[in-house]
Amino acid sequence: MAAPGARSCSLSGLLPAQTSLEYALLDAVTQEEKDSLVYQYLQKVDGWEQDLSVPEFPEGLEWLNTEESISVYKDLCGKVVVLDFFTYCCINCIHLLPDLHALEHTYSDKDGLLIVGVHSAKFPNEKVLDNVKSAILRYNITHPVVNDADASLWQELEVSCWPTLIILGPRGNMLFSLIGEGHREKLFLYTSIALKYYKDRGQIRDNKIGIKLYKDSLPPSPLLFPGKVTVDHVSNRLVIADTGHHRILVVWRNGQIQYSIGGPNPGRKDGMFSESTFNSPQGVAIMDNIIYVADTENHLIRKIDLEAEMVSTVAGIGIQGTDKEGGAKGEEQPISSPWDIVFGRSGPEVQRDDILWIAMAGIHQIWAFLLDYGRLPKKNELKKGTCLRFAGSGNEENRNNSYPHKAGFAQPSGLSLASEEPWSCLFVADSESSAVRTVSLKDGAVKHLVGGERDPTNLFAFGDVDGVGINAKLQHPLGVTWDKKRNLVYVADSYNHKIKVVDPKTKNCTTLAGTGDASNVIGSNFTDSTFNEPGGLCIGENGQLLYVADTNNHQIKVMDLETKTVSVLPVFRSESAMVDGPFPAEKQKTLPRLPKSAPGIRLSPVAASPGQTLQFKLRLDLPSGTKLTEGAPSCWFLSAEGNEWLLQGQIPSGEIESISSQPTISLQIPGDCLSLEAVLSISVFLYYCSADSSACMMKGILFSQPLQITDTQQDYVPPVELKYIF
């Protein structure tokens, strides 16, 4: 049947025919009936006089995971293509990824199927290519992705929702659209029948598309996209959600790993540390050697017993839930993308934490898991192990209300608790409304603190403005932490790449650290230092230190709130560490890279003859009151860019174990010199901490030694002293 007249290239042109198909599918009983209905639909759409053709990808767009840019009408001709219109902050888009991964594992480009991600940003920060790169790594996206920063294809097709899938035939002709998440059955049905239909007609090509994964170019690192961090105030340990490595790290304050649990690949398995696995864990909370974990992409709350060295599941069933009420026993209660957790108490008379509060990002609510028998505001006595909603209707909005079930959140992603009066509330980083909200622990009332705007349906009120209350603007904040020493809230203003501080009494919000640039600079003070989408933060050392999960820099940064300095926590392992997941840095020996801020000292030229040995003595002084960090890999290493022959047969690196007994570095000039001039670079990398180990730093320095090679045998050359005071 031919459709009369010209065809619009917007999605509205598909709507009448696809709506009829979907009504017919509701009445179909068997799989054969469903397959037949879709096949007949394709015969109808394919017989239209004019295709609903998708526009070509605009020229000049940036592509990821491909060897070169892709053309709809050249490279994708002969393929069934799934276009995934997404923005990387969106929880619904994240929920769709497992369906796309499963589809890719079922059909390859050789079978005639290809998925192409069309990144159409919501926030300005999401338009930046480097940030999109980080997102495809975090979410293990391995198909081609185009950064349509100006949303030109989105607008031409009149797409209106994240996520939206458009399925194309082998001529770039639109066949189906699927709006939102939760359409896995239809996605597989439509693509499988489309492949069969066009194979029957000989229109499917089995050529391969040139895939070049961005993740393959990355060097190994101890951390990969760490999402959250928390402090064990009893034992002076940190717990890090090493999200990109799918594991939980327990480290001492100097960064030395005590336990590594899970990783490096995603999974869902309880049991001993050596066999347990996680999938992109986020929030962590520790108490009495028990760690609770928001195992986000497994849709679970996990429990790590450090004494028994066992992992178990306490809430969730392992698949994404849609229940917005809850009330079942934890391990029987479906939940959806828990993003952060924090301990709390069910009443002022309770002597120990008996509630685990959960930021349930996937259904835009705040939930509670009962660690003991207890009671929530306006609730009867609840059994231990119960998991249920506390606040939020489940509608994605920025709605405040004195009735907690009528309030609305928008992807809550960070939680912190202020149990003391007059606060007695949860602070919530409500990421998609770009706001910080509060939930009363007395009656559940939800109130605005800073950011966002008054219209509860407007989730585009973002920016980077210091100010009071609604006049302050944030951009997709993912983390909050309460400083009870100063009565302040610190906010990881993630997409502004800043740490902000809020006075809950005055609602004044100001920038504490960060310039707004997405980079990795350790400056001389807070305002000179930079971050890259920090996702979580916590207070330690009695309010002196603020630990920041600097997610896209793959680091934990340490902010000293008294000296106003920033350092990087060195994460390293020792021989006694309980590390069951492989440590990525061991895959290949890589020397550390000096910080950009590392000073450089050019030494006076030295004349030397072939076969002669030169010696360099380190003479480094640390700041008063500091010491080398025990067990950390302080070291020196040699390089000679453009004159690598100089290092053949040499010892190129070594450890620095003591400041009082520093090593002497030897270099023997080779017998066969390929140049009469060369520059030897001696890089020094030091980890040191204050005497009480309350703050640790890593610093570097580069010494450049020009060499003049001469045939004249030199007299004794005294050792060169490499002096520097940090």
Side-chain angles (χ1 to χ4, degrees), residues 67 110 126 143 150 163 206 229 254 268 279 345 385 392-393 410 414 451 596 630 634 638 656 690 719:
E67 294 175 346
K110 191 170 179 62
E126 294 179 304
H143 51 251
D150 295 325
D206 63 0
V229 60
N254 64 358
R268 191 193 111 202
N279 191 349
R345 299 181 183 182
S393 64
K596 290 182 179 179
E630 293 181 12
S634 293
L638 305 178
I656 303 172
S690 56

Side-chain angles (χ1 to χ4, degrees), residues 221-349:
S221 64
L223 299 175
L224 187 65
F225 301 109
K228 302 289 183 183
V229 60
T230 193
V231 172
D232 180 4
H233 296 285
V234 175
S235 65
N236 292 324
R237 294 176 296 184
L238 296 175
V239 182
I240 302 169
D242 189 10
T243 309
H245 286 140
H246 309 285
R247 66 178 180 170
I248 303 299
L249 295 181
V250 181
V251 306
W252 299 107
R253 278 193 306 179
N254 64 358
Q256 180 177 321
I257 297 172
Q258 183 189 20
Y259 296 98
S260 174
I261 309 149
N265 299 313
R268 191 193 111 202
K269 186 172 176 58
D270 289 338
M272 297 182 296
F273 283 3
S274 58
E275 61 184 354
S276 302
T277 53
F278 301 85
N279 191 349
S280 299
Q282 288 282 347
V284 282
I286 183 170
M287 177 176 63
D288 298 334
N289 269 328
I290 299 293
I291 301 171
Y292 289 91
V293 180
D295 193 4
T296 304
E297 294 195 20
N298 276 329
H299 310 287
L300 299 173
I301 302 296
R302 312 287 290 282
K303 176 183 175 182
I304 299 173
D305 188 325
L306 294 178
E307 292 182 358
E309 295 186 356
M310 294 289 290
V311 177
S312 58
T313 296
V314 297
I317 60 174
I319 58 174
Q320 181 190 340
T322 57
D323 181 2
K324 296 179 181 179
E325 295 288 341
K329 192 175 179 181
E331 57 266 34
E332 299 171 0
Q333 176 62 57
I335 60 176
S336 180
S337 298
W339 209 276
D340 203 7
I341 51 179
V342 67
F343 291 118
R345 299 181 183 182
S346 57
E349 73 286 350

